[in-house]
Amino acid sequence: MGQNVFRHRRIMVVFILCMVFLVALTVRLGIVQLRQGDYLSDIADDYHYRGVPVAPKRGNIEDSTGNILAISISAETVYAVPAEVRKSGDEQARRSAEGLAVILNMDRDKVYEKITKRTSLEYIKKKISPEEAAQIKNAHFPGVGITEDSDRFYPNGTLAAHILGFVGVDGQGLEGIEYSRDQELVGKAGSTQSEYGADGIKLPEAAKRYQPPVNGNTVRLCVDGSIQAFAERELNKLMTGQGVNMEGNVPRSASILVMEPKTGRVLAIATAPTFNPNNYQDFPNETRRNIAVQNAYEPGSTFKIITLAGALDKNVVDMSEGFFDKGSYDILGRQIRCWKAGGHGQQTMREVVQNSCNPGFISMGQRLKKDNFYSYLEAFGFGQKTGIEMAGEAVGILANKNKATDLDLATMSIGQTNAVTPIQLLTAVCAVANGGVLLKPQLVQEIVSPSGTVVSSFKPEEVRRVISHEVSRLECEVLESVVTCGTGRRAFLPGYRVAGKTGTAQIVRDGFYVQGEYVASFVAFAPANDPKIAILCVIDGVPFYGGVVACPIVQSVLLDSLKYMGVKPDGTAPLAPTPPLPEQIFPPVKNPAVVPFVAGLTLEEATKTLQTAKLSVMTEGSGSVVLDQIPYGNAQVEEGSTVLLYLGDGEASAPAISNWWEMEDPDIEAMIPGRKPLTQ
């Protein structure tokens, strides 16, 4: 009896243990199936499925108006699954390698090595032509396939090449916006997957699945393609020796930068020599350097804008006060000469600016004193990066403040000793033009998703206020007089109020200044009383002054840009510089007259209409139709004034106004004998 009870108890215990085990197993299976099923299934699929990546389309890069500057086009890549190739036998593998080598113009042994390599997937050649892809598909090489890919294409060739940059063979951004915005542009790869066995061979009747790629976002720039084209057109003329006053001389390099003073938007950065991003590898490495951002140079007289701004803001100079220029400025036993032999004599400070008088600006710097001068250097952003979205931006070179003497202060006041980058200088000049606020230069306007939704947009970014609004307004008036009756007259535009400053600096080579070879430059903004656009042109390695070669370039880009932007001429603006233009172009004025609007008329009709209004006619271009005119219709001028008519056959184009006068422009910074330039 006792033994039976003991036996029943043991059976019950075993039964309970079995039930507990079954319940635990059921619970565990439920957890695995319900909670971890998808996760474990994905792991299993990773072992069973092997995929061929499908490249996403890299996002477009567009200019501010939506015109495409960079786009990805469909391409194909040939790959091999080495396990399948080896399964076909060595003889077949060699035949496949031979056939692929012929089609792809590759070395047979290298192809054989690739297709038999001990890897799960091997790319043979990326971005092949449609003809090559078709031949490979028709050949049915065992273990060899074609997958979807994309190739980068720049439809405008060299346009904005230094801004856009380029991508490598694997689609990664290497320079420019392609590099800085690679994360937004690149997208997410998809794949085409099939079931494979443990031996790496695709299973018969294998299931397949496709994961589509996610294309990249579009990057829309602040750059305007038309204004960029205006700038590059002028650089092309310059680099082929066809620039105005170039007389066949070709500089080493040149750059043109265009910005909106009130927003910091960069409208154009043109650099020469340039390259084509479609085949960047065919160009010398130095052509890919963005000298507008990555190179520093002694700016010369264009920097006097900063000296003047500080002197006016600290109220140490009055534009109406007198200054006598004897031809040099004596400081610490040295003489810094004025460019004009014998000096300018008695003049006002306004005339000091108009004449780019070195002793006058040195006087401003000495009054400002070293501490204040350096505080304005820092406030205007010199010696530091502007933050523009370009890799490799230089910071420039500033003389050590603790070691700087009054002599250094004198040379810095006229744009020597310190080195700046073109983007730094134009950003600082825009602060003078826009009311006194330094803005961060902006290259990217917005990021747009493939569906067209704006992911992010960029607003003007204020860095700091550097001068007062009143000082800004006064300096704009003074700089306008530089163009109307000073060294910048070759940039004068009838009917537009243009402010600017010329600059000429000697070139540094092997630690010394080179005689007779200059960095010629000119910076301008317009309209002077309400700036819409600012332009800086820097030309490296010419035997001419900034006012001679840089002014006409800025004049041409400025005129086309203002007309393109719809900025109308100002009826109160002067129609001729002072002294006036030659008699045959601008006859003596008589009585007030209103300019008729003649755009759209034939040349004969326009001429008759203008002559009836007692106005003279001058034409540029060829054709029988008037495309545009300066001054514009309804502008009030005086009888006998000349109206410039742009002719064509109906296409909207306006050639730049020619240089109408000859003028000495020796706006070159006087060098101190024996002084070496500042180096790093």
Side-chain angles (χ1 to χ4, degrees), residues 169-184:
V169 67
D170 293 321
Q172 75 279 22
L174 297 179
E175 287 186 11
I177 291 296
E178 295 278 25
Y179 172 78
S180 64
R181 290 287 167 175
D182 188 65
Q183 186 174 356
E184 288 92 343

Side-chain angles (χ1 to χ4, degrees), residues 411-452:
T411 57
M412 287 188 288
S413 300
I414 59 175
Q416 295 174 200
T417 301
N418 293 331
V420 306
T421 64
I423 188 64
Q424 282 178 338
L425 182 60
L426 185 59
T427 301
V429 171
C430 283
V432 172
N434 68 18
V437 178
L438 186 72
L439 299 173
K440 178 182 176 180
Q442 298 274 8
L443 265 178
V444 177
Q445 179 173 294
E446 58 189 10
I447 306 296
V448 183
S449 71
S451 64

Side-chain angles (χ1 to χ4, degrees), residues 604-628:
E604 183 179 354
E605 294 170 336
T607 302
K608 184 176 181 181
T609 301
L610 293 170
Q611 289 176 345
T612 301
K614 299 181 179 180
L615 298 169
S616 298
V617 176
M618 184 173 70
T619 63
E620 285 211 14
S622 60
S624 58
V625 178
V626 177
L627 301 180
D628 211 339

